[in-house]
Amino acid sequence: MKRYFATLLILIFSTQINAQNRGVKIGYIDMEYILQNVNDYSEAKNQLEQKAQKWKQDIEAKKVEIAKLKDELKTEKALLTKELIDERDEEIAFQEQELLDFQQKRFGPNGDLITQKAVLVKPIQDQVFTAVQDIAEQQKYDFIFDKSSDLTMLFAAKRYDISDRVLRVLNRAEKREQLSKKQLKDLEAKEAKEDMEDGNPAIAERRKKLDERKAAREKLIDDRKAAAEAKKIEQQEKRDAAAADRDAKKVGTVNADEKSSDGTTTGKESTDTTVKEDKAAERAKVLADRKKELEDRKKKILEDREAAKKAREDKNTEPKTD
C-alpha cells in the first residue's frame, strides 16, 4: 500500500512541476474487463471453473460420507465395546482431517484454484503490459493505472479509459495471421485511423457525429421503403378483394331465360354453373394465396427493418476490438 501512496505523491508532484509546460496525460485500464473479452482466457477460465465445480462436488460427497459414519456410530454405540467406539472415532477423525486437507489443497490460499488462475492470467498480463507500454509511448501518456488493482480510483472519466485500445492491440496479431496482403494493408490503414482518433478526441467526436447522421439517413430511407411497400401491399389486397366479390356475384347469378319451364336448370346449364363455381373457387384460392404471400412479404420487410435497426444499435454500442 505504501507503494501506491508513493505513486500518488509522485503524480501530484509531477503535475505541479509540469503544469506550466503542458498538461499531464493520464489514462487507465480495467484489467478485469480486458480479461473477460480475451477469448483464450475466457475458454481456459470456463475449464478451470468446471474443475472447481467437480472439486466442490467431491467435498460435498465426502461430507455426506462422514455424516453417515457419525450417524452409524450414534445408532450402534450402545452395542459396541469401548475399543470399537475408539476405533470408529479415530476413523471419523481421520476422514475429517483428510477432507480438511483436500479443501486446503484445492481452495486454500496456495491451493490449486489460486495457482492455476495465476498461471492462466500471467501470459495475458504480460501482453497487456507490453501493449500499455506501446500505447503510452505512441500517445505520450505520463501515467496509466489499472482500475481493478489495489489503487482505489474515486473518480475516473470514461474518456481516459484505454482498455478497448489495449484489446485492439492484443487482437491485431491474431487477425494478421489470417489476412491476405491486401487485407493486411487495409487493416493497417484502419488501425492508423483509429490510433489517430484515439490521440485526438475532437476527431473521434466528429467521427461519432458522422456515424450518427449516417445511421439516421439509413433509418429514414428504410422507413420510406417500408411505408411504400406496405401501401403497395394494401392496394393489391383491395384489388384482390374487389375481384373476389365480382366472381362471387357471377357464381350466384343465373339468368332467368336459362331456366327450364318447371323452374329447374337443364343439364348443360347445371354443368355451366358447376364450371363457374369451380373457376370461382379456384380464383378465390389464388386470391387467398396471393393475400397470404403479400402478408408474408409485409411481415418480412418489418422483421428485416427491425433486424437492421438492432444491428446498427449494437454496432454503435459495442466496444471496438479490431
Side-chain angles (χ1 to χ4, degrees), residues 103-209:
Q103 288 177 314
Q104 288 296 315
K105 181 177 184 296
R106 299 303 189 188
F107 298 102
N110 299 315
D112 294 339
L113 184 63
I114 299 298
T115 55
Q116 290 187 30
K117 272 186 179 179
V119 171
L120 180 62
V121 171
K122 183 66 167 61
I124 308 296
Q125 287 178 328
D126 292 342
Q127 293 179 44
V128 170
F129 179 77
T130 301
V132 167
Q133 297 296 312
D134 293 341
I135 292 172
E137 292 177 3
Q138 293 171 4
Q139 304 295 331
K140 308 300 181 184
Y141 278 91
D142 295 291
F143 300 96
I144 296 178
F145 297 101
D146 179 6
K147 182 180 179 182
S148 59
S149 70
D150 293 336
L151 178 59
T152 302
M153 283 193 177
L154 299 181
F155 174 78
K158 183 64 179 175
R159 64 179 178 274
Y160 297 120
D161 187 356
I162 64 170
S163 301
D164 288 330
R165 214 176 306 173
V166 172
L167 273 174
R168 284 204 300 271
V169 173
L170 297 181
N171 292 329
R172 283 174 183 176
E174 181 179 353
K175 285 189 174 183
R176 281 190 170 90
E177 296 176 357
Q178 305 171 0
L179 299 179
S180 64
K181 289 184 178 180
K182 184 179 183 304
Q183 290 173 328
L184 183 59
K185 185 177 180 181
D186 294 339
L187 178 62
E188 288 174 348
K190 183 180 179 182
E191 290 172 354
K193 184 178 179 182
E194 289 173 347
D195 291 340
M196 182 177 67
E197 290 180 357
D198 288 335
N200 191 333
I203 295 178
E205 184 65 24
R206 195 156 56 242
R207 170 63 58 187
K208 180 181 177 183
K209 289 181 179 179

Side-chain angles (χ1 to χ4, degrees), residues 47-57 107 113:
Q47 293 176 2
L48 183 57
E49 288 176 351
Q50 290 175 5
K51 282 185 181 180
Q53 189 63 32
K54 177 64 170 58
W55 295 337
K56 289 178 181 179
Q57 291 173 358
F107 298 102
L113 184 63

Side-chain angles (χ1 to χ4, degrees), residues 9 15-16 40 97 111 129 131 157 168 176 178 196 220 226 254 263 266 270 272 306 319:
L9 290 175
T15 303
Q16 293 175 343
D40 292 342
Q97 185 60 47
F129 179 77
R168 284 204 300 271
R176 281 190 170 90
Q178 305 171 0
M196 182 177 67
L220 180 61
V254 179
T266 64
S270 178
D272 292 342
E306 288 300 321

Side-chain angles (χ1 to χ4, degrees), residues 55-73:
W55 295 337
K56 289 178 181 179
Q57 291 173 358
D58 293 341
I59 290 172
E60 291 302 318
K62 194 70 174 176
K63 287 181 178 179
V64 171
E65 183 181 343
I66 293 172
K68 185 178 178 181
L69 290 175
K70 288 182 177 180
D71 290 340
E72 289 176 354
L73 177 59

Side-chain angles (χ1 to χ4, degrees), residues 19-48:
Q20 297 178 351
N21 300 325
R22 64 177 180 86
V24 175
K25 193 170 183 180
I26 302 171
Y28 71 91
I29 64 169
D30 187 342
M31 181 64 77
E32 292 181 0
Y33 167 78
I34 292 173
L35 292 175
Q36 289 171 2
N37 287 275
V38 175
N39 292 332
D40 292 342
Y41 174 79
S42 298
E43 293 174 2
K45 183 183 177 184
N46 289 336
Q47 293 176 2
L48 183 57

